[in-house]
Amino acid sequence: MKPAPIEVARTAWAGSLPDWVEALALECGRTSQNRVAERLGRSAAMVSQILRNKYPGDLTGFEERFRGVFQARALQCPALGLIPSHECQDWRVKAKVFTAGNPLRTRMFRACAACPRNRSEQ
């Protein structure tokens, strides 16, 4: 029998399981790894690597995305007010390229460029 995602995570993280990885594993157990990955806009392989503590990259962005989607973490945006953290993350990616055809994209390009949260990632 295949082990539950929470058991996989507990074994892989060996006593240092972050609270959000535990919540990720529990969510994968409730639905499926593929559904969780789909809601996050990330691959199931990435979710699997994180549960198994094998992901080679920085987990900060994934944690922010997980907390925004599944734990309703919100941030204060200078242009939009209170928004979920994953939406802030999405806007920071979109705002890297100037697009003049959409007034909201133009506004967010300027707001994200001046935002201390965006500057700290550069």
Side-chain angles (χ1 to χ4, degrees):
M1 189 165 125
K2 188 175 174 181
I6 188 65
E7 294 308 318
V8 169
R10 285 181 180 148
T11 301
W13 287 85
S16 64
L17 182 65
D19 66 316
W20 67 270
V21 175
E22 181 176 17
L24 173 67
L26 292 170
E27 191 61 40
C28 287
R30 271 193 287 280
T31 60
S32 75
Q33 194 170 296
N34 286 333
R35 286 188 181 153
V36 169
E38 186 177 315
R39 282 188 62 193
L40 291 169
R42 300 297 182 259
S43 71
M46 183 179 193
V47 172
S48 177
Q49 287 180 333
I50 291 168
L51 292 176
R52 287 167 171 59
N53 198 13
K54 301 262 187 219
Y55 186 73
D58 182 13
L59 295 175
T60 307
F62 188 92
E63 176 185 359
E64 179 180 3
R65 183 159 211 83
F66 175 80
R67 291 189 188 278
V69 172
F70 288 99
Q71 297 178 335
R73 176 175 278 176
L75 303 170
Q76 190 64 39
C77 173
L80 300 175
L82 197 62
I83 62 171
S85 63
H86 67 285
E87 288 182 20
C88 173
Q89 191 179 56
D90 291 343
W91 274 116
R92 290 191 311 258
V93 170
K94 289 178 195 174
K96 288 180 182 179
V97 177
F98 180 74
T99 304
N102 181 323
L104 180 58
R105 290 280 303 260
T106 302
R107 179 176 165 201
M108 293 308 293
F109 176 82
R110 290 185 181 120
C112 288
C115 181
R117 182 167 190 77
N118 199 27
R119 285 192 201 147
S120 68
E121 290 180 0
Q122 295 173 350

